Amino acid sequence: MDMPAPDAGVIARKDRIVARLRSVLPPDAVIDDPAETRAYECDALTAYRCPPLAVVLPASTVEVAAVLRICHEERVPVVPRGSGTSLAGGALPTADSVILGVARLNAVLETDCANRFIRVQAGRTNLSVTGAVEAEGFFYAPDPSSQLACAIAGNIAMNSGGAHCLKYGVTTNNLLGVTMVLMDGTVVEIGGPHLDAPGLDLLGVICGSEGQLGVVTEACLRILPRPEGARPVLIAFGSNEVAGACVSDIIRAGVLPVAIEFMDRPCIRACEDFARAGYPDCEALLIIEVEGSPPEIDEQLGLIRQIAARHEPLEMREAKDEDEARRIWLGRKSAFGAMGQINDYMCLDGTIPVSQLPHVLRRIGEMSREFGLEVANVFHAGDGNMHPLILFDANRPGDLEKCEAFGAEILKLCVEVGGCLTGEHGVGIEKRDLMGVQFDPADLEAQMRVKDVFDPAWLLNPAKVFPLAATAARRRAA
Amino acid sequence: MRKGEGGPAMIEPGDEAELAEAVAAARGPLRIRGGGTRPLGSPVAGEVLSTARLAGITLYEPGALTLVARAGTPLAEVEAALAAEGQRLPFEPIDHRGLLGTSGAPTIGGVVAANASGPRRIAVGAARDFLIGVRFVDGEGRVVKNGGRVMKNVTGYDLVKLMAGSWGTLGVLSEVSFKVLPAAAASATLTLRGLADAEAVRALAAALTSPFEVTGAAHDPGAAGGPATLIRIEGFESSVAYRADRLARRLAPFGPAEVERDPAANAAIWAAVRDVRALHGLPGDVWRFSVKPGEGPALAARLGARRLLYDWGGGLVWALAAPGEDLRARMGAIGGHGTLVRAGPESRGRIPAFHPEPPALAALAAGLRRKFDPRGILNPGLMDEVAPAGSVPA
């Protein structure tokens, strides 16, 4: 994985740039001491690190605009950063870049339950958005695994999903409006508590643009009334194929569970060792959650059990109370932590058509043997968003490279069967060089032209999303 | 490729390659035409480019909730295929024919180009929320794909959303993919009678903030028999019965609720809301405002409309007004946007059909159009955009 060579001219002007940034921000909001900028050298993709030129922590839209205006004038690349939980390297700096952290933009600006929205500053964490409205019986639906830490700004940048998006959609389906600062310091307001765009759907293309089109400082989010209740059922199967077929049958039957999670044997075993959730010893298991009042839940789970019964389940375990529900989710929610206990791992998130699940799982198993690296699969089965975790040893020379090569093969397979490289983590630097597998040059050109409009100088997070070779001329021209 | 003979000039490509060829070869503006049932926007002069022959469902996997169709496929064909598997397009696209006095068959590409949604939009989202992939030809004749056929996809920029509701001004759609959902087994409509607009919208908010998953929330102040406030619930049979009962109790402060359980009657009630039947055949301009739901009645009070219909919990206001007036001037401090959907000769082409945007956003939109359609030949002027420099004159 390469990053562009830093601009020596920018690095030479560091003192002047930092002084200008200090002139528009409080003293503690500009960090340039190398001992402190090191804290921003990577995000959750820790294999790649590089301390930035400086870090700024603005606390208002006005301050963000002032910072961007200076960086625009000085031709300094800016890397926006939410909470730094990106698994794709979305917030990885270069040595000539300024990290713009939104952590201090964390206020709730307005809650309006009757009109079903909340307006927050974009550095606020995902879970604390729900926290701000749960006393009124509401919640914010997208729930990425990192929701305790991740910022709404990062959720918007990556169009984050979560376990419950089969029913509630991903970030873009729950985002009503933004206040955003363009690279030249222009502040724009898009959308709001009303629905749909008056003209072109700019909000739609901003969401998921990985911090390359502007810096979102405020967001208007849809909130939903909490359902009366929810209950999971755990179903164990003798093979991945059968579990996959069961998922498809449930969907065809007209049931729309709020979540369908899938774990394979290596993952089940690791979670069992780590969390002792009491999962059955089986090849594959599904955790299916439905919502409603108790009788409604009974009816839906009854139907699901009937369908599952046709697939020779080894065991069906319905939560009878809160505690059992918690235990069913315990293993799934600790899956990544469990993996981290055993090994270093790389987490992929390609999406495939649900019908291809058995085929893809079989192929991943074969490739696992070819590469000599173990894989555990845990994923959102209802929407085909896979999460193969490739286990490797970072201390063993060559293992990371082998792991990356294996990961690339899995993602190519996802595209080959009609899917995509990333379902919810984003491209960042991780999948940047694989974009040519999914897109023709004309497809990528159309996307890069959008960036040309919002950020003509290619200064915002410029080394992400697109293959470096494809963006070289644009970045040089800047 | 077929060229119109005898009648008005019309280009009818038979596949995507021919479509790309036709756009690349165009020497003047093109009027992009799906079913021709949604003539919104300012008038466009130019040769008609029809997607009628780009038709057919190319992939439908009910177990994956995914459908892919060529842009010119009749909507009715898509809906029939889905219905045969007990599924549907969840966003309930409006049929504009009755309101606009058009005939012909709406196409699935037209639904996307118009981002056409209906009452269920308030609960589940718009057409753009269920659109998961597009193929299109840009203004220079290049074929571009974005998104795909899977429902979770963040690979690269989301041009899918950008294409939805762009009315053919960024590219000509050749294929569209959707996430679909199971159709509900049962439905119920609760009707409250005689409520004033503001009270009705409070009742709708009470319904929409309940945990009972309301999928329609409309108010018709001019209904035969007095103002009717309509609330829809959908789901499994026993669930609908339970929720209707609970909801009626919750809404008791607003008066007794009549409950309609007959499937055909419910379909008719919501088709009328979806297609704005209250305004069919009445003379005047038709406006469509999208505002914060609670502000719908305040907006309506300012409009001085001849006839009104509220949907989306009060946030969508349909208004029939005297011809020739730009009703947006009456919005005052109320945020949101207004579209002139049906305009008489006094208004069409004189009053912008689409809501004017602040300069910074208009500049971004103009920049995108220059990139996707540098010659300015795709439905130029339809969305009241400023013609890009160097565009082909009509």
Side-chain angles (χ1 to χ4, degrees):
Chain A
M1 204 284 305
D2 295 323
M3 288 297 274
D7 182 335
V10 167
I11 293 174
R13 282 184 284 123
K14 175 176 174 180
D15 288 349
R16 170 196 156 89
I17 292 162
V18 169
R20 287 196 68 186
L21 293 171
R22 286 226 159 88
S23 74
V24 297
L25 293 178
D28 67 343
V30 182
I31 301 168
D32 73 316
D33 177 346
E36 293 177 65
T37 56
R38 191 157 289 277
Y40 296 85
E41 67 182 0
C42 68
D43 53 26
L45 183 67
T46 54
Y48 300 98
R49 295 161 194 261
C50 173
L53 186 77
V55 178
V56 292
L57 301 169
S60 68
T61 301
V62 170
E63 287 183 0
V64 170
V67 165
L68 290 178
R69 212 170 291 123
I70 290 167
C71 291
H72 187 247
E73 284 167 13
E74 298 283 348
R75 288 295 186 260
V76 184
V78 173
V79 176
R81 181 182 167 105
S83 299
T85 57
S86 171
L87 293 164
L92 177 71
T94 46
D96 59 356
S97 69
V98 167
I99 285 272
L100 193 165
V102 295
R104 292 186 181 177
L105 289 158
N106 60 6
V108 172
L109 303 170
E110 182 183 5
T111 56
D112 185 338
C113 292
N115 287 300
R116 303 166 298 283
F117 73 90
I118 182 171
R119 280 199 313 119
V120 297
Q121 286 186 314
R124 194 166 179 87
T125 61
N126 174 295
L127 197 58
S128 75
V129 171
T130 290
V133 293
E134 67 188 345
E136 284 80 31
F138 284 78
F139 72 107
Y140 175 61
D143 61 340
S145 305
S146 57
Q147 68 181 150
L148 186 63
C150 64
I152 291 298
N155 290 180
I156 294 169
M158 295 311 200
N159 189 14
S160 302
H164 293 75
C165 50
L166 182 59
K167 179 168 176 187
Y168 294 116
V170 295
T171 301
T172 192
N173 312 114
N174 292 277
L175 178 66
L176 296 168
V178 294
T179 299
M180 186 174 86
V181 188
L182 302 178
M183 187 63 214
D184 66 3
T186 306
V187 178
V188 294
E189 302 262 356
I190 302 174
H194 57 275
L195 296 174
D196 294 343
L200 294 182
D201 190 353
L202 299 177
L203 190 62
V205 76
I206 286 163
C207 191
S209 62
E210 307 209 7
Q212 292 197 310
L213 301 185
V215 176
V216 171
T217 57
E218 295 175 15
C220 184
L221 306 169
R222 182 170 82 126
I223 53 172
L224 300 171
R226 224 192 348 257
E228 288 180 90
R231 199 188 309 155
V233 58
L234 180 154
I235 312 174
F237 295 94
S239 78
N240 290 334
E241 281 84 351
V242 177
C246 183
V247 170
S248 184
D249 283 0
I250 288 168
I251 289 172
R252 284 195 70 144
V255 194
L256 190 66
V258 69
I260 308 181
E261 298 289 296
F262 187 121
M263 294 165 74
D264 72 355
R265 178 181 277 283
C267 185
I268 296 165
R269 214 183 300 146
C271 291
E272 235 353 81
D273 291 346
F274 179 69
R276 311 224 174 276
Y279 284 173
D281 181 32
C282 61
E283 287 302 314
L285 66 78
L286 298 176
I287 298 172
I288 304 171
E289 183 160 281
V290 298
E291 290 179 344
S293 63
E296 290 175 297
I297 289 175
D298 287 341
E299 185 180 10
Q300 291 179 72
L301 287 184
L303 190 54
I304 288 168
R305 294 175 72 118
Q306 257 177 42
I307 295 164
R310 297 202 292 268
H311 293 275
E312 295 168 6
L314 304 176
E315 188 178 338
M316 289 201 258
R317 192 182 293 174
E318 198 174 305
K320 283 184 222 60
D321 53 37
E322 281 292 309
D323 187 54
E324 284 194 23
R326 194 186 53 76
R327 289 182 64 81
I328 286 180
W329 276 111
L330 177 67
R332 167 63 187 90
K333 290 197 168 166
S334 53
F336 288 14
M339 289 300 155
Q341 290 288 308
I342 311 177
N343 266 88
D344 299 302
Y345 68 85
M346 179 170 151
C347 173
L348 303 171
D349 88 312
T351 307
I352 57 168
V354 178
S355 53
Q356 297 289 330
L357 270 178
H359 167 68
V360 170
L361 288 173
R362 196 165 49 242
R363 282 291 298 133
I364 289 176
E366 288 163 12
M367 286 192 270
S368 163
R369 286 187 288 280
E370 285 161 27
F371 279 91
L373 292 175
E374 218 186 325
V375 183
N377 282 292
V378 48
F379 55 91
H380 315 306
D383 49 33
N385 189 189
M386 307 194 67
H387 286 310
L389 302 170
I390 307 177
L391 309 184
F392 71 104
D393 182 351
N395 294 321
R396 193 189 306 154
D399 237 32
L400 172 64
E401 291 72 18
K402 194 156 71 164
C403 172
E404 287 184 329
F406 181 12
E409 288 308 309
I410 292 178
L411 294 182
K412 285 178 194 168
L413 173 65
C414 290
V415 174
E416 201 178 288
V417 299
C420 66
L421 298 172
T422 169
E424 59 183 0
H425 295 172
V427 178
I429 54 162
E430 193 200 17
K431 273 91 67 177
R432 190 189 61 191
D433 298 311
L434 288 171
M435 288 290 272
V437 174
Q438 187 173 333
F439 294 112
D440 297 331
D443 303 332
L444 290 175
E445 178 66 22
Q447 296 176 35
M448 290 189 290
R449 285 176 176 189
V450 173
K451 181 162 174 65
D452 291 340
V453 171
F454 282 79
D455 176 24
W458 277 66
L459 289 169
L460 266 174
N461 220 6
K464 312 289 165 63
V465 183
F466 305 106
L468 288 183
T471 61
R474 286 173 153 98
R475 284 181 286 112
R476 256 199 312 275
Chain B
M1 187 167 347
R2 263 187 234 157
K3 278 255 185 185
E5 283 163 27
M10 171 138 93
I11 310 168
E12 270 200 305
D15 59 29
E16 187 180 73
E18 285 188 5
L19 171 64
E21 206 180 298
V23 174
R27 293 288 164 264
L30 297 171
R31 290 166 60 193
I32 320 304
R33 187 189 168 98
T37 66
R38 307 180 199 270
L40 274 78
S42 294
V44 176
E47 196 173 8
V48 173
L49 172 62
S50 165
T51 59
R53 291 175 63 225
L54 301 169
I57 294 167
T58 49
L59 179 141
Y60 177 29
E61 282 188 6
L65 301 173
T66 315
L67 180 137
V68 184
R70 295 195 186 93
T73 311
L75 175 61
E77 186 181 328
V78 170
E79 290 184 327
L82 290 170
E85 295 287 344
Q87 298 185 344
R88 67 185 176 193
L89 294 172
F91 50 91
E92 210 174 4
I94 176 178
D95 180 343
H96 278 100
R97 285 176 291 189
L99 188 63
L100 302 180
T102 50
S103 55
T107 62
I108 192 70
V111 166
V112 170
N115 188 28
S117 309
R120 210 176 286 113
R121 195 260 177 271
I122 188 72
V124 301
R128 59 88 93 173
D129 293 294
F130 290 88
L131 185 69
I132 56 176
V134 289
R135 296 180 64 90
F136 64 93
V137 171
D138 75 5
E140 292 184 289
R142 283 174 302 223
V143 175
V144 177
K145 68 169 182 298
N146 194 260
R149 51 171 284 207
V150 290
M151 60 177 87
K152 263 172 93 182
N153 184 350
V154 296
T155 321
Y157 292 175
D158 194 347
L159 304 185
V160 170
K161 303 282 183 298
L162 193 59
M163 292 306 291
S166 66
W167 294 90
T169 64
L170 297 178
V172 187
L173 293 163
S174 53
E175 190 176 82
V176 291
S177 316
F178 286 97
K179 170 185 177 179
V180 300
L181 287 180
S187 62
T189 303
L190 278 67
T191 304
L192 303 167
R193 296 280 177 187
L195 298 181
D197 293 5
E199 193 68 356
V201 167
R202 275 194 287 277
L204 296 179
L208 287 163
T209 53
S210 76
F212 306 121
E213 297 188 357
V214 166
T215 67
H219 175 64
D220 183 354
T229 308
L230 308 165
I231 296 154
R232 178 174 61 185
I233 307 164
E234 297 172 290
F236 289 112
E237 185 64 43
S238 60
S239 181
V240 167
Y242 164 81
R243 291 177 180 208
D245 176 60
R246 295 296 302 268
L247 203 50
R249 277 193 256 168
R250 186 181 171 106
L251 296 173
F254 298 97
E258 303 159 21
V259 180
E260 178 61 75
R261 294 296 318 272
D262 177 62
N266 279 315
I269 290 169
W270 292 97
V273 173
R274 182 193 70 194
D275 300 340
V276 206
R277 200 157 298 157
L279 273 56
H280 287 194
L282 301 175
D285 287 355
V286 172
W287 286 84
R288 176 187 185 274
F289 289 91
S290 178
V291 297
K292 183 163 76 179
E295 291 188 331
L299 172 75
R302 291 162 153 268
L303 295 179
R306 296 172 177 173
R307 184 77 166 82
L308 288 164
L309 180 72
Y310 298 86
D311 195 359
W312 300 353
L316 179 65
V317 180
W318 291 95
L320 181 74
E325 185 190 346
D326 189 342
L327 277 201
R328 296 179 194 105
R330 296 178 178 240
M331 290 180 78
I334 294 175
H337 51 90
T339 309
L340 178 57
V341 171
R342 191 185 76 196
E346 300 91 338
S347 311
R348 192 166 158 83
R350 193 177 65 75
I351 299 173
F354 290 83
H355 199 104
E357 292 184 281
L361 296 183
L364 290 172
L368 290 171
R369 288 201 169 86
R370 260 196 304 278
K371 292 288 181 185
F372 283 82
D373 178 22
R375 297 183 292 162
I377 61 167
L378 302 179
N379 276 347
L382 186 145
M383 293 183 80
D384 309 298
E385 68 276 17
V386 180
S391 60
V392 183

